[in-house]
Every structure is written in C-alpha cells, then in structure tokens.
C-alpha cells in the first residue's frame, strides 16, 4: 500500500494528518481535530492548565502559543 503513495520531497512530517475541515494537523499534535476546530479557548486552556487535556500536555508551550497568534 505504501508504495502507491506519492513520494513528496521535503515533507518530513509523515505523521501529519488532516482534520475533517481540511486543515492539516501536525504530527506532533495528538488532538483528533485541528487547532482551528479546537478553538482559541482550548489553546488557552492548554497553556493555563496543561493537565486539562492529555493532548495539550504533549505539546510545548511554544506550539500552544503559536495557536493563539
Ligand atoms: Zn479542523
Ligand atoms: Zn488539548
């Protein structure tokens, strides 16, 4: 199956996937939906209380802040 996939040069984020809305979800992000669908509130929660979400807990503060930008 893998052999049929296009070999795209420069794409290192092989674990990246797509949200139902069509936006890309980073391979490092274990949420089921993209940051846009999660909303800014969720991103803020992840910063204020990383324990509130097991997925956010795996993300760095830096990447969480980037969502708020
Ligand atoms: Zn989405
Ligand atoms: Zn989260």
């Amino acid at each position: 199956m893998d052999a049929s996939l296009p070999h795209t040069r420069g794409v290192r984020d092989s674990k990246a996937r797509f949200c139902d809305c069509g936006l890309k979800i980073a391979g490092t992000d274990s949420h089921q939906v993209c940051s846009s669908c999660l909303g800014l509130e969720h991103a803020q929660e992840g910063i204020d209380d990383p324990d509130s979400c097991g997925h956010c807990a795996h993300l760095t503060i830096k990447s969480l802040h980037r969502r708020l930008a």
Side-chain angles (χ1 to χ4, degrees):
M1 272 306 229
D2 282 349
S4 66
L5 291 172
H7 192 79
T8 311
R9 199 164 55 95
V11 177
R12 292 183 306 146
D13 208 357
S14 58
K15 278 187 288 186
R17 59 214 186 280
F18 289 92
C19 176
D20 285 343
C21 75
L23 288 178
K24 193 169 141 185
I25 305 172
T28 51
D29 189 340
S30 54
H31 287 99
Q32 294 301 305
V33 296
C34 72
S35 53
S36 173
C37 288
L38 285 172
L40 292 180
E41 244 176 71
H42 188 88
Q44 188 66 59
E45 271 175 24
I47 293 169
D48 293 341
D49 183 13
D51 289 336
S52 68
C53 175
H55 299 298
C56 286
H58 287 291
L59 295 169
T60 62
I61 293 295
K62 193 176 157 191
S63 61
L64 287 171
H65 272 289
R66 207 167 49 196
R67 300 168 152 210
L68 295 173

